[in-house]
Amino acid sequence: MSDVRELLGWAAEDAGRPVISTEAVYAKAARVRWRRRAGISAAAVCAVAAGAFVVPGLSAGQKQSPRTSSVAAPGKLGGSGRAEKLAALLPAGVGRVEQVSLAAIIKHATPVQAKEHLYGPVDGQFAVRRDGGVGYLVIGLMNAKTVDKKLGGGSRDTDPCAALPGEPHRTDCVREELPGGRVLTLWSDSMDYGDGTPQWGPELAGRLSLPDGGQLAVRDSTGFEADTAQGPLLKAPPLTRAQLRTLMLSPELLRKK
């Protein structure tokens, strides 16, 4: 099954529901590719993908028209003001920030199919254009109830840096305990999990566990390669590790109490 459908899971779970579950976002596609690399059967992979990633009205076999980077940027969202809010939090020189829909870019989803119910004030999927390339920042805040639902009874205290059976090891992973009961974890991911479309470039990722049980997750990606790509990969993620840390600790990403 094409990784295009897997990417849809990063962007849309169901129309009318939150499109982003950022902690599961790129990780789901990475796990599927990892299992392929490890020799898990194609049938098992298809079962995982079919159960996890569905956008109503877009079937797995639906033919898509070719799209190249010369086409005017698809999936761009305007009017929400979230791109401006994010840009104001970023250091100079990061690049031009636009709020986008990955479902629209990758799968040509309609606005209804790609509708997002975003929880945090700066949640969303953002293209970052710099030096001719296009990377992405994906930001998602979840409350404790949503975190528990997605964990399916698992512990919130799981260390992302810990090696887990059957899972790719997260490199350069650092877990930092902060004042007030917060825990920030940052790591690198090569996203090199075998063949497929689209092929995502290297990225940085972060997770901030909050004392009330909520979580903030951010993906800092160099972009992807496919016929739907909006441009070449960035040479490095939009934000450095230090810049990503600063962004994730910005109170503007959290809901006001």
Side-chain angles (χ1 to χ4, degrees):
M1 182 174 295
S2 169
D3 283 347
V4 169
R5 188 173 183 190
E6 293 164 16
L7 177 63
L8 261 251
W10 306 1
E13 294 182 351
D14 276 313
R17 294 185 183 178
V19 170
I20 278 205
S21 92
T22 318
E23 177 63 17
V25 165
Y26 299 44
K28 282 188 178 178
R31 284 197 295 269
V32 172
R33 290 200 195 123
W34 179 267
R35 286 167 184 147
R36 283 189 182 140
R37 193 177 186 189
I40 300 294
S41 70
V45 172
C46 287
V48 170
F53 314 129
V54 177
V55 173
L58 295 180
S59 65
Q62 181 175 335
K63 187 175 180 180
Q64 302 176 47
S65 58
R67 186 173 295 213
T68 67
S69 57
S70 63
V71 176
K76 181 178 178 180
L77 304 178
S80 73
R82 288 174 180 264
E84 290 77 10
K85 290 180 182 179
L86 176 58
L89 299 174
L90 302 179
V94 168
R96 181 160 56 91
V97 179
E98 299 171 350
Q99 188 178 3
V100 299
S101 164
L102 290 174
I105 294 170
I106 301 298
K107 194 68 173 181
H108 312 323
T110 67
V112 172
Q113 292 164 335
K115 185 177 180 181
E116 298 178 89
H117 290 190
L118 303 174
Y119 180 69
V122 197
D123 281 6
Q125 304 160 10
F126 302 90
V128 180
R129 300 176 182 275
R130 182 175 71 206
D131 300 330
V134 182
Y136 295 91
L137 288 170
V138 181
I139 302 172
L141 177 67
M142 294 184 288
N143 61 20
K145 183 178 179 180
T146 303
V147 172
D148 289 339
K149 181 179 178 181
K150 292 188 176 297
L151 288 174
S155 173
R156 297 179 191 160
D157 298 326
T158 301
D159 183 359
C161 296
L164 298 174
E167 297 288 348
H169 179 63
R170 289 167 170 167
T171 59
D172 301 324
C173 190
V174 177
R175 184 175 184 271
E176 182 182 359
E177 295 187 7
L178 301 168
R182 298 171 300 162
V183 178
L184 176 65
T185 309
L186 300 175
W187 65 90
S188 302
D189 194 331
S190 69
M191 296 301 288
D192 183 14
Y193 299 108
D195 297 329
T197 301
Q199 282 287 308
W200 285 85
E203 66 178 41
L204 295 171
R207 187 181 82 181
L208 178 66
S209 298
L210 303 170
D212 63 1
Q215 287 184 358
L216 171 70
V218 178
R219 295 284 168 170
D220 180 21
S221 170
T222 54
F224 67 89
E225 295 176 323
D227 62 353
T228 53
Q230 296 184 299
L233 299 178
L234 295 181
K235 294 180 180 179
L239 302 179
T240 66
R241 181 178 284 251
Q243 290 170 342
L244 177 59
R245 181 184 184 277
T246 298
L247 176 65
M248 295 197 67
L249 296 181
S250 300
E252 290 86 352
L253 268 60
L254 305 179
R255 288 168 65 102
K256 294 182 180 179
K257 296 182 179 180

